[in-house]
Amino acid sequence: MRKEQYTMQDIANELGISKSTVSRALKNHPDISQDTKNAVNKLAKEKDYQPNSLALSLRHNKSFVLGIIVPEIVHDFFANVISGVQTVAYNEGYNVMICISNESIEQEVVDTKAMYSSRVDGLLISTTKKTTDLSHLQSLVRKGVPLVMFDRVSDELDVSKVITDDHHGAYLATEHLIKQGCKKIVHLSGPNNLAIGINRKEGYKAALRDYKIAVDDNLIIPCPLGDLKEATEVTKQLLDSDLSFDAIFANNDVTAIGAMTSVKNKGLKIPEDISIVGFGDWRLSKLLEPPLTSIEQSGIDIGIQAATLLLEQIKAEEKDKEFKPRTEIIKSKLIKRESSTQR
Amino acid sequence: MRKEQYTMQDIANELGISKSTVSRALKNHPDISQDTKNAVNKLAKEKDYQPNSLALSLRHNKSFVLGIIVPEIVHDFFANVISGVQTVAYNEGYNVMICISNESIEQEVVDTKAMYSSRVDGLLISTTKKTTDLSHLQSLVRKGVPLVMFDRVSDELDVSKVITDDHHGAYLATEHLIKQGCKKIVHLSGPNNLAIGINRKEGYKAALRDYKIAVDDNLIIPCPLGDLKEATEVTKQLLDSDLSFDAIFANNDVTAIGAMTSVKNKGLKIPEDISIVGFGDWRLSKLLEPPLTSIEQSGIDIGIQAATLLLEQIKAEEKDKEFKPRTEIIKSKLIKRESSTQR
DNA sequence: TTGTAGGCGTTATCAT
DNA sequence: ATGATAACGCCTACAA
């Protein structure tokens, strides 16, 4: 059995005073005499008294905990987001509880309930790729829990959102390839049920149109899973087919690496034979050989922005102020990377 | 103000029964009539009643939360550990609260206190590189909180530990280089205050001795920070000096990449001119060009093992059984990676 | 300046 | 089969 905890009552007993006096002394209430405060603080330090947040949370109906649910954690983007969230949370005296849905809807539902049961003061979530039914989140909102969606969002829910400018980023990527002289640009596209996949595809098309290049649907290859195996396989098939192309715009980091692998295995050179640009927040882009030019989404910035929005809402509602959900867009940037052969 | 939560009392009122009956009905207590149970469950579902874990935790002095403190999260190794911990925790009905110390001792101390305040049922920790004073952890242990240290551990504390077999791994790495024909192997070594740094260095020395190669202290270069900048700089200086060497055994992933960068910048080929082997759990090792042979530490396995040990202790102590702390060693493995030039 | 009492949501004990 | 009550640790209006 866990050792007994040392409580205010214990301090009170030892000092022959009441626990309310102890409570007030510890929070430096002006009514309490300096003598009492000294005695209480001394004993508290001596016995290494640590308040019980559970009791506090129950009392105040406020836990000072932010929840965050991500589909995976072994992924630079989400790890960066969490890191950004933590930074903001710490500064405001909040802790962070993390759940990993592992791209499983069932897990996501369970996690959401667990978060509410723990009475988190607010929740940040990036849904599963497969999530379409949002009733678990709706239920949360109905219960009055501030919610912020990031990266993978849905417009069925009237909550704050933080997204990257996928359309713009994809446009930049495609434009970059066009300016390099590429004419036949393959797009390895993401799932069509996520805004992210659609927007990137549209940005790609828009750039082609602006530069008077016909959109060829044969060059748009679906990679709905977005994992390494799929991307490698798809690209291999592409290379083995009679379709000719001189560049690939991959809708995410893993897809880009898969494409890269197959291109290399085929004995082709990057970027001489085929240029590749990837989308995402990945340390890898600069470490690969050749390092890939990429469209950076700043996970940290998204985390910071999302947590800031969430806290804003939490605080507003605590003061009974109305809070209107907002959608913040984090601009993506094109980061050109030179191949080391050019150094 | 957060919307009122729907409680057992509310159910009781609506049904004109007492909250204790509701409590029993919800947990399917045999004493309660089926009629009552049905009514209660129906209403609970209708109103989407969700228990308040805070109240439960307070009542039972048990939170069903495991805490974990890691120095960083944007790092494959720690992300993998967390992932492993989550898996185990979920299966046992526990949630996970994560704190990131950011390699800051002050933050680590704050985090530890926060964890205790939240009354986590147990804590997993990998300390800061700089942590030498363990009083914050000792205090935790004194309070009866089960503690498991992993990866970066200290033998000043009599708690369970999960570590990798660093000595063995370093031996394997060095042996691999020797068998490739390397004679002058540089070791970029880690901090001397961490077991991890010492053991890897000793493993390196042991392999040299076993293969009758004299240990040359000039070839052991300290990289106490272990960051990219330091490693790159140190290797650059090494290459600019008149010291000759044909291989580098880097004590971690980042150090390996730093070394790689400088070697490439110097116009040298890997592994033809200089072989590099790195230590760690990193997706990068297989994606770099050339992919580096590496000593794999399985972060997931460490996470699983650590969480398992922690839960074992928690359960034992709940039954008032004594639990003797154990140290588990996760074997490191050498993963050979062929350069794509050999494909 | 300090103490008393009630309550946050839940469950266990002891009635009825 | 169900209810009343106390308790977990803390805070706060009210009383003294």
Side-chain angles (χ1 to χ4, degrees):
Chain A
M1 187 55 186
R2 149 123 36 149
K3 221 166 156 183
E4 295 288 300
Q5 46 185 324
Y6 190 77
T7 73
M8 288 187 172
Q9 184 67 65
D10 295 322
I11 298 186
N13 291 151
E14 288 197 49
L15 258 38
I17 56 180
S18 83
K19 57 181 178 172
S20 34
T21 305
V22 175
S23 171
R24 284 185 273 239
L26 283 173
K27 49 176 35 186
N28 205 16
H29 190 103
D31 277 359
I32 303 295
S33 76
Q34 197 53 51
D35 282 358
T36 312
K37 282 182 189 170
N38 291 145
V40 168
N41 283 316
K42 181 157 170 276
L43 192 56
K45 175 160 277 180
E46 240 177 71
K47 301 287 179 138
D48 198 14
Y49 165 79
Q50 302 259 325
N52 184 328
S53 318
L54 295 173
L56 259 161
S57 301
L58 185 60
R59 176 75 228 273
H60 295 304
N61 193 22
K62 157 119 191 149
S63 62
F64 280 99
V65 173
L66 301 185
I68 177 167
I69 300 179
V70 291
E72 36 174 346
I73 193 170
V74 188
H75 189 305
D76 288 340
F77 176 70
F78 290 114
N80 271 313
V81 173
I82 293 172
S83 176
V85 170
Q86 288 265 2
T87 310
V88 176
Y90 280 168
N91 285 337
E92 305 281 337
Y94 284 75
N95 275 100
V96 177
M97 178 164 253
I98 303 180
C99 282
I100 306 171
S101 63
N102 267 318
E103 296 285 5
S104 144
I105 302 182
E106 296 74 38
Q107 187 63 53
E108 184 178 294
V109 173
V110 170
D111 287 345
T112 310
K113 289 194 177 151
M115 288 292 185
Y116 180 72
S117 267
S118 307
R119 296 298 190 270
V120 293
D121 292 332
L123 182 65
L124 299 151
I125 190 170
S126 191
T127 61
T128 288
K129 280 183 191 153
K130 294 165 284 180
T131 303
T132 51
D133 177 10
L134 298 174
S135 47
H136 53 301
L137 296 181
Q138 254 141 7
S139 143
L140 210 68
V141 173
R142 235 178 293 123
K143 293 200 169 74
V145 182
L147 179 68
V148 173
M149 304 185 80
F150 64 91
D151 194 49
R152 300 187 191 165
V153 307
S154 155
D155 36 40
E156 282 179 42
L157 230 44
D158 182 33
V159 299
S160 288
K161 288 154 202 165
V162 179
I163 51 176
T164 45
D165 190 349
D166 288 307
H167 188 283
H168 179 66
Y171 188 99
L172 286 179
T174 312
E175 185 178 43
H176 168 77
L177 290 167
I178 295 172
K179 285 189 175 166
Q180 287 209 322
C182 303
K183 304 275 184 207
K184 294 177 182 171
I185 305 172
V186 163
H187 174 42
L188 300 181
S189 75
N192 269 325
N193 63 324
L194 282 163
I196 199 176
I198 302 167
N199 293 337
R200 288 178 188 180
K201 191 196 292 178
E202 289 309 317
Y204 157 82
K205 287 183 181 172
L208 292 181
R209 275 194 294 272
D210 284 359
Y211 284 87
K212 319 276 187 231
I213 300 180
V215 173
D216 179 354
D217 281 336
N218 293 318
L219 293 178
I220 301 179
I221 320 287
C223 284
L225 300 176
D227 61 19
L228 197 61
K229 200 175 159 201
E230 182 193 53
T232 313
E233 186 53 35
V234 159
T235 308
K236 187 177 176 316
Q237 282 176 18
L238 209 57
L239 290 163
D240 289 342
S241 77
D242 50 3
L243 203 67
S244 91
F245 59 98
D246 50 19
I248 297 174
F249 163 46
N251 89 112
N252 75 39
D253 55 348
V254 176
T255 321
I257 292 171
M260 190 167 178
T261 308
S262 285
V263 169
K264 277 190 191 174
N265 280 343
K266 193 79 180 179
L268 296 171
K269 287 226 181 315
I270 303 166
E272 290 78 359
D273 299 321
I274 291 180
S275 288
I276 299 181
V277 172
F279 208 118
D281 186 5
W282 37 327
R283 285 189 299 180
L284 276 65
S285 58
K286 45 179 164 287
L287 298 166
L288 293 169
E289 188 56 41
L292 291 189
T293 286
S294 61
I295 301 297
E296 296 270 342
Q297 297 169 286
S298 169
I300 290 213
D301 288 347
I302 292 184
I304 291 176
Q305 186 62 54
T308 306
L309 261 175
L310 186 60
L311 285 170
E312 206 181 306
Q313 179 171 358
I314 291 173
K315 285 177 185 170
E317 296 187 352
E318 273 168 6
K319 294 184 193 156
D320 265 327
K321 281 186 191 158
E322 202 201 353
F323 180 85
K324 263 182 77 74
R326 292 204 305 277
T327 294
E328 300 277 353
I329 299 173
I330 308 288
K331 281 275 174 209
S332 340
K333 275 181 296 189
L334 178 85
I335 311 283
K336 289 191 200 180
R337 301 202 192 281
E338 307 282 311
S339 165
S340 65
T341 58
Q342 298 166 347
R343 275 186 225 149
Chain B
M1 187 57 184
R2 150 126 33 153
K3 220 165 156 185
E4 295 288 302
Q5 46 184 324
Y6 192 77
T7 73
M8 289 186 171
Q9 184 66 66
D10 295 323
I11 299 185
N13 291 152
E14 287 197 48
L15 258 41
I17 56 180
S18 83
K19 57 180 177 174
S20 24
T21 305
V22 175
S23 171
R24 284 185 276 238
L26 283 173
K27 47 178 37 186
N28 205 17
H29 190 103
D31 277 359
I32 303 296
S33 76
Q34 197 54 52
D35 283 356
T36 312
K37 281 183 192 171
N38 291 343
V40 168
N41 284 317
K42 180 157 169 278
L43 192 55
K45 176 162 278 180
E46 241 177 67
K47 301 287 180 146
D48 197 14
Y49 164 79
Q50 302 261 328
N52 185 327
S53 319
L54 295 173
L56 256 160
S57 301
L58 184 61
R59 179 78 230 272
H60 294 305
N61 194 21
K62 157 121 189 143
S63 61
F64 280 98
V65 173
L66 302 185
I68 178 169
I69 300 179
V70 291
E72 36 174 346
I73 194 170
V74 188
H75 189 304
D76 289 340
F77 175 70
F78 290 114
N80 271 313
V81 172
I82 292 172
S83 176
V85 170
Q86 288 265 3
T87 309
V88 176
Y90 281 167
N91 285 338
E92 304 281 337
Y94 283 76
N95 275 99
V96 178
M97 177 164 253
I98 303 181
C99 282
I100 306 170
S101 64
N102 267 317
E103 298 284 7
S104 142
I105 302 181
E106 296 74 38
Q107 187 63 51
E108 185 177 295
V109 174
V110 170
D111 288 344
T112 311
K113 288 193 179 155
M115 288 292 185
Y116 179 71
S117 267
S118 308
R119 296 298 189 269
V120 294
D121 291 333
L123 181 66
L124 300 150
I125 189 170
S126 192
T127 62
T128 288
K129 279 182 192 153
K130 293 166 285 180
T131 303
T132 50
D133 178 10
L134 298 175
S135 46
H136 54 301
L137 297 180
Q138 253 142 5
S139 143
L140 210 67
V141 173
R142 237 178 292 124
K143 294 200 168 71
V145 181
L147 179 68
V148 174
M149 303 185 81
F150 64 89
D151 194 50
R152 302 187 190 165
V153 307
S154 155
D155 34 41
E156 282 178 41
L157 231 42
D158 182 31
V159 299
S160 287
K161 287 154 204 167
V162 179
I163 50 177
T164 45
D165 192 349
D166 289 306
H167 188 283
H168 180 66
Y171 188 101
L172 286 178
T174 312
E175 185 178 43
H176 167 77
L177 290 168
I178 295 172
K179 284 187 175 166
Q180 287 208 322
C182 302
K183 304 276 185 204
K184 293 176 184 170
I185 305 172
V186 163
H187 174 41
L188 300 181
S189 75
N192 268 325
N193 62 321
L194 283 165
I196 199 177
I198 301 167
N199 292 338
R200 289 179 188 179
K201 192 196 291 179
E202 289 308 318
Y204 157 82
K205 287 183 181 173
L208 292 182
R209 275 194 294 270
D210 284 359
Y211 284 87
K212 316 280 188 230
I213 298 180
V215 174
D216 178 355
D217 282 336
N218 294 317
L219 293 179
I220 302 179
I221 320 287
C223 284
L225 301 175
D227 61 20
L228 197 61
K229 200 176 158 202
E230 182 193 54
T232 313
E233 185 54 33
V234 158
T235 309
K236 187 176 176 316
Q237 283 175 15
L238 210 55
L239 289 162
D240 290 342
S241 76
D242 50 2
L243 204 67
S244 90
F245 59 98
D246 50 19
I248 297 174
F249 162 46
N251 89 110
N252 75 40
D253 55 348
V254 176
T255 320
I257 291 170
M260 190 169 177
T261 307
S262 285
V263 168
K264 276 190 189 172
N265 278 345
K266 192 78 179 180
L268 297 171
K269 287 227 180 315
I270 303 166
E272 291 78 358
D273 299 320
I274 291 179
S275 288
I276 299 181
V277 172
F279 208 117
D281 185 3
W282 39 328
R283 285 188 300 180
L284 276 65
S285 57
K286 47 181 163 289
L287 298 166
L288 292 170
E289 188 56 40
L292 292 189
T293 286
S294 61
I295 302 298
E296 295 270 342
Q297 296 170 286
S298 170
I300 291 213
D301 288 348
I302 292 184
I304 291 175
Q305 187 61 57
T308 306
L309 261 177
L310 186 60
L311 285 169
E312 205 180 305
Q313 178 170 359
I314 291 173
K315 286 176 182 168
E317 296 187 353
E318 273 167 6
K319 294 183 191 153
D320 266 325
K321 281 186 192 160
E322 201 201 354
F323 181 86
K324 262 181 76 76
R326 293 204 306 275
T327 294
E328 300 278 353
I329 298 173
I330 309 287
K331 279 277 174 206
S332 342
K333 275 182 297 192
L334 179 86
I335 312 284
K336 287 191 201 181
R337 301 203 192 278
E338 309 282 310
S339 166
S340 66
T341 58
Q342 299 167 348
R343 272 186 228 147

